[in-house]
Amino acid sequence: MTKRVLITGASGLLGRACRKEFVDDKSWEVLGLAFSRACSDLRKVDITDETAVRDIITGFKPNIVIHCAAERRPDVVEKKSEETRNLNVEATRYICQEAGKIGAWVLYISTDYVFDGKSPPYKEDAEPNPLNLYGISKRQGEVVTLQVSQENSVLRVPILYGQIEKLSESAVTVLFEKVKDTANTCLMSDYERRYPTHCADIAFVIRQLADKRLQDGSIKGIYHWSGNENMTKNDMAIAMAKAFNLPTNHIQGDKNPSGGAKRPYDAQLDCSRIEALGFGRQTPFKDGIADVLKPYL
Ligand SMILES: NC(=O)c1ccc[n+]([C@@H]2O[C@H](COP(=O)([O-])OP(=O)(O)OC[C@H]3O[C@@H](n4cnc5c(N)ncnc54)[C@H](OP(=O)(O)O)[C@@H]3O)[C@@H](O)[C@H]2O)c1
């Protein structure tokens, strides 16, 4: 049987890891989509254009769609709510509707920011209560995904890091700019609790789910996957410094809530549904981050 996977946002942080995972597996025919970063390996499709979405899905006929593309920067979303709604919600609707017509399964990538962070850990069926517009838009995308077809799935993930094109690409790796600058004191958030997760681990879990879904229709609904180390950004910064034997005395923890769009305090994801399948992988942060940051030392 030919297995075809369509990956939206394949030029992005998670989408690149997903594309690599499926391409390396060799049993999948893979088509990655991009927008501003389209290149010879990635097809340019504006997924906010319903006709373009229809054309690509009816042309490629995927069995599975991994929908990574989104606006995921909370502070940008606060300023661009209309554009965000078009991308995070309406484009999701177009993708799910077209996928539904050809019987393809959609896995919508979502976020721990759908929770308010007041009563962790959150099971897959916990009641969402997003605190900011980004979280609201992603929750609306989840609802659309499951309303269009209850066969579809949502995978919620927390703060991500992985192979980057520049340090600022991930909210984790961006901290390394200040960690490296040992001559200047820097303040690091030491308030919100996070669970930094390697994109390659998420991609691995996604491929496990995709393979299973082709044989087992019970793979549907909401799933969570997350790293298992509870860290503030200050903890992450110190772990980065230690990974490269850099001093840490210029890094100072800030015990106040972060500024900008409101963030959940601790939105730890309970990953029981994926664990029960015997799936998953959790790269230790100190190993994953050292590997990713090595070229930027
Ligand atoms: N990064 C995190 O820490 C994090 C945490 C939790 C959940 N998530 C979720 O994980 C998913 C992936 O996030 P990410 O960090 O990989 O995002 P990202 O690096 O910001 O990538 C966003 C992707 O969306 C594409 N895109 C933007 N506008 C588009 C349009 N109009 N048409 C088609 N594609 C468009 C971009 O393409 P071009 O760059 O080619 O324009 C890019 O590939 C998102 O759903 C996000 O909500 C991320």
Side-chain angles (χ1 to χ4, degrees), residues 214-225:
L214 292 184
Q215 301 144 14
D216 180 352
S218 72
I219 302 295
K220 58 184 172 185
I222 299 174
Y223 293 91
H224 292 168
W225 193 250

Side-chain angles (χ1 to χ4, degrees), residues 11-14 35-37 46-47 68 72 134 138 158 160:
S11 52
L13 184 66
L14 179 60
F35 187 46
S36 62
R37 287 179 280 174
D46 178 358
I47 61 167
C68 296
R72 52 93 174 163
Y134 167 64
K138 293 297 291 185
L160 301 178

Side-chain angles (χ1 to χ4, degrees), residues 83-293:
E83 291 94 325
T84 298
R85 190 183 157 76
N86 286 338
L87 182 57
N88 292 7
V89 187
E90 295 312 320
T92 300
R93 189 189 314 281
Y94 305 151
I95 288 167
C96 292
Q97 283 171 347
E98 293 308 321
K101 287 181 195 165
I102 60 160
W105 180 69
V106 178
L107 178 64
Y108 172 80
I109 306 300
S110 191
T111 169
D112 58 348
Y113 276 30
V114 298
F115 295 117
D116 60 19
K118 292 177 186 158
S119 48
Y122 291 92
K123 285 194 175 292
E124 293 84 352
D125 61 356
E127 194 58 42
N129 182 30
L131 298 179
N132 59 37
L133 285 182
Y134 167 64
I136 291 170
S137 74
K138 293 297 291 185
R139 175 60 190 155
Q140 289 169 340
E142 292 184 354
V143 170
V144 161
T145 301
L146 299 173
Q147 259 172 4
V148 173
S149 171
Q150 289 183 3
E151 292 297 309
N152 287 339
S153 278
V154 165
L155 177 66
R156 298 185 182 130
V157 301
I159 189 169
L160 301 178
Y161 71 97
Q163 295 302 329
I164 40 173
E165 292 180 339
K166 53 186 177 191
L167 285 174
S168 61
E169 204 186 353
S170 142
V172 176
T173 54
V174 71
L175 307 177
F176 196 53
E177 299 277 17
K178 290 182 174 165
V179 171
K180 278 197 298 185
D181 184 9
T182 55
N184 288 302
T185 302
C186 66
L187 263 188
M188 287 288 171
S189 166
D190 201 18
Y191 179 74
E192 290 93 355
R193 314 302 310 183
R194 301 281 178 244
Y195 301 82
T197 302
H198 202 305
C199 286
D201 291 346
I202 301 285
F204 178 70
V205 168
I206 289 174
R207 190 182 52 73
Q208 288 182 311
L209 283 175
D211 272 314
K212 179 85 174 158
R213 165 70 205 195
L214 292 184
Q215 301 144 14
D216 180 352
S218 72
I219 302 295
K220 58 184 172 185
I222 299 174
Y223 293 91
H224 292 168
W225 193 250
S226 170
N228 54 3
E229 292 164 85
N230 175 327
M231 305 174 98
T232 63
K233 287 191 173 172
N234 188 57
D235 298 330
M236 295 179 218
I238 289 172
M240 288 175 199
K242 286 189 175 158
F244 297 105
N245 294 318
L246 297 172
T248 56
N249 46 4
H250 66 300
I251 304 170
Q252 287 182 7
D254 179 356
K255 292 284 182 196
N256 297 304
S258 300
K262 208 168 172 207
R263 265 95 167 150
Y265 171 68
D266 182 349
Q268 182 182 13
L269 298 170
D270 176 311
C271 304
S272 310
R273 279 196 80 201
I274 286 181
E275 283 163 358
L277 291 166
F279 293 170
R281 191 173 75 193
Q282 288 163 319
T283 300
F285 184 72
K286 69 175 178 36
D287 300 336
I289 202 67
D291 184 47
V292 161
L293 293 177

Side-chain angles (χ1 to χ4, degrees), residues 8-53:
T8 72
S11 52
L13 184 66
L14 179 60
R16 291 197 305 272
C18 287
R19 185 174 172 277
K20 182 175 186 315
E21 175 69 34
F22 280 92
V23 167
D24 288 354
D25 180 69
K26 299 206 189 324
S27 68
W28 287 85
E29 195 179 323
V30 185
L31 178 57
L33 306 186
F35 187 46
S36 62
R37 287 179 280 174
C39 59
S40 56
D41 286 339
L42 301 177
R43 188 87 57 89
K44 179 164 187 160
V45 175
D46 178 358
I47 61 167
T48 64
D49 175 346
E50 191 172 5
T51 309
V53 169

